[in-house]
């Protein structure tokens, strides 16, 4: 035959079903800081978040959810964002310069992506999300340590 391996109609149906289910599960969520100066939206399957115990996340109460840049859109507030860095200075901890809320940042584990604070998303039942603990405190102490959390890049 021509080309690569052929899928049986049955396998293709299953693959199409999986893709359709995935599209249905993907939703668009809007988020913002407290004053509304910074607004964004993400497109994702929001079923789980991670809770980190590192020095900054513990203090912020962050519930992390990572999205790739193609699934993140800043609607407004670029000029309202300030950035804090510490340690390796690899992560970009953005926050609203007016109200102080940190709605998203660029994580040390994968700076190309966005880590969104699920607490800043509209109409999300936080109690319905699976929470996965991450020992960021131990990770934070070793700048060369590989990331072992649930948001590993593929």
């Amino acid at each position: 035959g021509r080309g690569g391996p052929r899928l049986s109609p049955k396998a293709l149906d299953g693959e199409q079903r999986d893709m359709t289910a995935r599209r249905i599960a993907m939703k668009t969520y809007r988020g913002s800081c407290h004053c509304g100066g910074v607004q964004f939206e993400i497109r994702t399957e929001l079923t789980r978040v991670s809770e980190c115990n590192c020095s900054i996340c513990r203090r912020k109460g962050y519930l992390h959810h990572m999205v790739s840049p193609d699934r993140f859109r800043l609607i407004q507030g670029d000029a309202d964002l300030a950035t804090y860095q510490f340690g390796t200075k690899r992560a970009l901890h953005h926050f609203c310069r007016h109200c102080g809320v940190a709605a998203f940042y660029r994580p040390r584990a994968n700076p190309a992506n966005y880590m969104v604070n699920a607490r800043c998303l509209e109409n999300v039942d936080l109690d319905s999300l699976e929470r996965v603990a991450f020992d960021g405190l131990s990770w934070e102490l070793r700048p060369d340590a590989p990331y072992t959390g649930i948001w590993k890049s593929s």
Side-chain angles (χ1 to χ4, degrees):
R2 291 168 35 197
R6 298 184 78 127
L7 293 175
S8 71
K10 195 174 203 173
L12 191 57
D13 287 346
E15 185 176 308
Q16 286 175 335
R17 250 193 323 273
D18 290 348
M19 287 175 65
T20 301
R22 191 168 180 85
R23 249 185 258 116
I24 290 169
M26 293 285 274
K27 285 179 55 178
T28 299
Y29 297 89
R30 286 190 65 119
S32 69
C33 63
H34 186 255
C35 72
V38 176
Q39 295 184 27
F40 63 95
E41 68 180 22
I42 61 170
R43 184 148 180 81
T44 191
E45 294 177 65
L46 185 58
T47 58
R48 66 183 181 162
V49 293
S50 63
E51 283 187 282
C52 176
N53 65 352
C54 81
S55 62
I56 196 164
C57 295
R58 183 171 45 89
R59 286 171 173 84
K60 287 183 182 179
Y62 230 95
L63 291 179
H64 304 265
H65 186 79
M66 189 180 287
V67 295
S68 56
D70 61 319
R71 293 187 178 170
F72 179 93
R73 184 170 74 93
L74 184 62
I75 297 168
Q76 73 175 47
D78 190 43
D80 297 314
L81 288 172
T83 302
Y84 173 69
Q85 291 183 283
F86 69 100
T88 65
K89 299 202 183 309
R90 200 163 165 213
L92 302 174
H93 294 273
H94 301 303
F95 60 95
C96 174
R97 66 176 69 248
H98 306 291
C99 67
V101 169
F104 62 88
Y105 70 101
R106 305 304 283 264
R108 170 182 153 198
N110 191 342
N113 285 344
Y114 288 87
M115 192 68 83
V116 173
N117 186 351
R119 293 183 189 280
C120 294
L121 298 173
E122 297 172 6
N123 303 314
V124 172
D125 177 6
L126 297 175
D127 293 330
S128 72
L129 302 176
E130 175 190 1
R131 293 186 187 201
V132 180
F134 174 65
D135 184 11
L137 186 59
S138 297
W139 188 63
E140 179 180 29
L141 297 175
R142 293 190 42 223
D144 61 334
Y147 174 73
T148 58
I150 63 172
W151 306 115
K152 289 183 183 179
S153 51
S154 38

